Amino acid sequence: MSAHAAALLPAPRAALTRGTVDTPVPATDEVLVRVRAVAVNPVDWVIQGTSRITYRWLRTPAVLGSDVSGEVVAIGSDVTRFRVGQRVFGLATGTDRGRNPLREGAFQEYTTLLERLTAPTPDDLSDEQAAVFPLGLSTAACALFQPQHLGLRMPGDPAPTPDRGVVVIWGGSTSVGMNAVQLARAAGYDVVTTASARNAAIVRDLGADAVVDHRSPSAVAELVTAIGGRPVVGAVALGAGSTDACIDVLARTGGGRLAMASTPLSLDALVGRRRLFPAMLPVFTRIGLATLRSTLRARRRGIRAAFVWGSSLRDDEMGPRLWGEVVPRLLAEGSLRPAPDPLVVGDGLDALQGALDRQRAGVSAQKIVVRV
Ligand SMILES: NC(=O)c1ccc[n+]([C@@H]2O[C@H](COP(=O)([O-])OP(=O)(O)OC[C@H]3O[C@@H](n4cnc5c(N)ncnc54)[C@H](OP(=O)(O)O)[C@@H]3O)[C@@H](O)[C@H]2O)c1
């Protein structure tokens, strides 16, 4: 068996270190990919800093990372959509419960991707651009299209009524938000969203018809005005304070469903602490109480609210449809563009710890990318 280099999380809360792991043989429904670029998501540093509590199933050493682009070097016996040598990008789900983080993590030279969560990289996209898509795009699609969330029609589905309907996306300048804006537009909905003033034009260019600053004290009222009496089909809540703000918008515009993607408090402060205990106790108590309070507020207003899990599309019908049909078609049509722009912060696996730290320090309409 051959081996390759990986950025390993050697133990919970330890720094990523370079190590060697066995190069897997792809299972029947997998492709083996030589990774060329990876992108960083908040969940990567959350897992690194808090997995003893938040990802209790994760055994170390582990390879983190969800966002992969590269080229196919081997295919499983049932794979029909890809061939060796083809450039692809896809969602690595190795840190999920029941998966194998050493085979399926992104931050290494070779990883396996499920055929159903992989798409061909168009010739006009670089590996760095393709790497910005996987988790942001998948989470946006789960929020918008899964029946347990907004349950909207997907791009390509016939529109049942002449009413387009409005989707509210709080956090349109986040990575998930930029993908949600594009997917909702491509499915034929109008989009009202939030972004800071410096990112408003970017989000408008992706398809939002109104953009409000999420820091404005009157942001909720401004969104309600922008909706202007049109029917609202639901809201996607991204970022601190987004859940309650979305509940307020939905309550004032006739209800709808709410897909929540963010914890009410960032885990950032905990990750930076030298010791997790006992600092985690008040943080998780506040998260639990705030979530309970928001869920009850939503219920009292007739709003169905649920948390999104961005890789849950691995196990439903929407995932293969998104990655197999919708994404290749929207990319070819030009109605899906890589967003946010990649910010390449380094080359090689040794750059990954710095990349995680850079993401945690905060980004604004940028996706942190490392070339591998
Ligand atoms: N549940 C899941 O499966 C899942 C998956 C992926 C992400 N997430 C969560 O979804 C959220 C977004 O993740 P991401 O990777 O897309 O984030 P990101 O790209 O790192 O987010 C950065 C952006 O957040 C925006 N922002 C800051 N404060 C905000 C606020 N209060 N309300 C709305 N936007 C705000 C900033 O916009 P401006 O610079 O324009 O102010 C900035 O551009 C995070 O909470 C993340 O943990 C959840």
Side-chain angles (χ1 to χ4, degrees):
M1 182 177 272
S2 54
H4 63 266
L8 289 170
L9 177 71
R13 293 177 69 71
L16 299 185
T17 55
R18 196 184 176 88
T20 301
V21 296
D22 292 338
T23 307
V25 173
T28 53
D29 57 351
E30 291 176 340
V31 293
L32 179 66
V33 172
R34 170 63 175 98
V35 179
R36 296 294 178 194
V38 296
V40 175
N41 292 282
V43 70
D44 299 323
W45 49 259
V46 167
I47 294 176
Q48 180 175 39
T50 68
S51 62
R52 274 208 181 105
I53 302 158
T54 54
Y55 277 62
R56 297 177 72 97
W57 58 85
L58 192 77
R59 295 282 160 263
T60 50
V63 177
L64 307 183
S66 308
D67 294 347
V68 173
S69 66
E71 78 232 9
V72 175
V73 293
I75 61 171
S77 55
D78 292 343
V79 169
T80 56
R81 290 176 44 236
F82 301 106
R83 54 181 166 68
V84 170
Q86 192 170 3
R87 293 174 63 232
V88 295
F89 64 103
L91 179 68
T93 63
T95 52
D96 274 359
R97 194 191 292 270
R99 309 302 297 188
N100 182 339
L102 290 178
R103 282 182 94 250
E104 303 176 90
F107 299 162
Q108 53 185 330
E109 289 176 339
Y110 291 86
T111 192
T112 54
L113 292 175
L114 290 161
E115 178 183 31
R116 62 184 183 276
L117 299 182
T118 304
T121 306
D123 289 343
D124 60 350
L125 284 195
S126 66
D127 292 327
E128 294 82 356
Q129 288 174 308
V132 309
F133 278 120
L135 187 61
L137 178 80
S138 298
T139 307
C142 289
L144 294 170
F145 306 130
Q146 282 181 330
Q148 65 271 37
H149 296 297
L150 268 53
L152 303 181
R153 60 180 183 267
M154 291 182 75
D157 286 347
T161 69
D163 262 336
R164 296 168 68 88
V166 181
V167 182
V168 179
I169 298 170
W170 187 285
S173 52
T174 64
S175 170
V176 177
M178 288 190 176
N179 283 284
V181 170
Q182 297 187 83
L183 288 175
R185 277 300 287 141
Y189 296 94
D190 293 338
V191 176
V192 300
T193 190
T194 74
S196 60
R198 67 174 173 272
N199 294 324
I202 302 175
V203 181
R204 207 171 267 122
D205 193 46
L206 294 174
D209 65 55
V211 184
V212 160
D213 192 333
H214 36 248
R215 289 178 189 82
S216 163
S218 57
V220 167
E222 291 173 51
L223 283 173
V224 172
T225 304
I227 291 163
R230 290 175 287 173
V232 174
V233 293
V236 180
L238 302 158
S242 59
T243 294
D244 284 336
C246 285
I247 292 170
D248 291 342
V249 174
L250 291 175
R252 289 167 63 173
T253 54
R257 292 181 178 184
L258 174 59
M260 304 177 285
S262 299
T263 49
L265 286 184
S266 171
L267 296 175
D268 171 36
L270 271 188
V271 171
R273 282 189 171 259
R274 214 159 52 83
R275 293 163 63 90
L276 205 49
F277 298 95
M280 45 134 328
L281 295 172
V283 174
F284 281 97
T285 304
R286 282 173 65 195
I287 288 177
L289 288 175
T291 303
L292 181 65
R293 209 198 53 203
S294 297
T295 311
L296 292 175
R297 274 190 78 219
R299 196 173 298 164
R300 276 198 301 273
R301 288 159 179 77
I303 298 161
R304 216 180 77 185
F307 268 105
V308 174
W309 191 255
S311 52
S312 56
L313 79 182
R314 184 189 51 235
D315 304 317
D316 66 19
E317 291 168 7
M318 194 269 287
R321 211 181 137 203
L322 178 84
W323 281 92
E325 295 168 31
V326 173
V327 167
R329 182 162 48 77
L330 296 186
L331 286 171
E333 291 169 5
S335 44
L336 179 65
R337 285 178 274 149
D341 280 340
L343 175 66
V344 179
V345 296
D347 287 276
L349 298 169
D350 294 333
L352 271 159
Q353 183 59 60
L356 263 61
D357 296 341
R358 177 70 185 77
Q359 214 295 333
R360 187 162 74 86
V363 293
S364 179
Q366 287 165 323
K367 193 89 185 178
I368 303 295
V369 167
V370 170
R371 293 192 198 100
V372 178

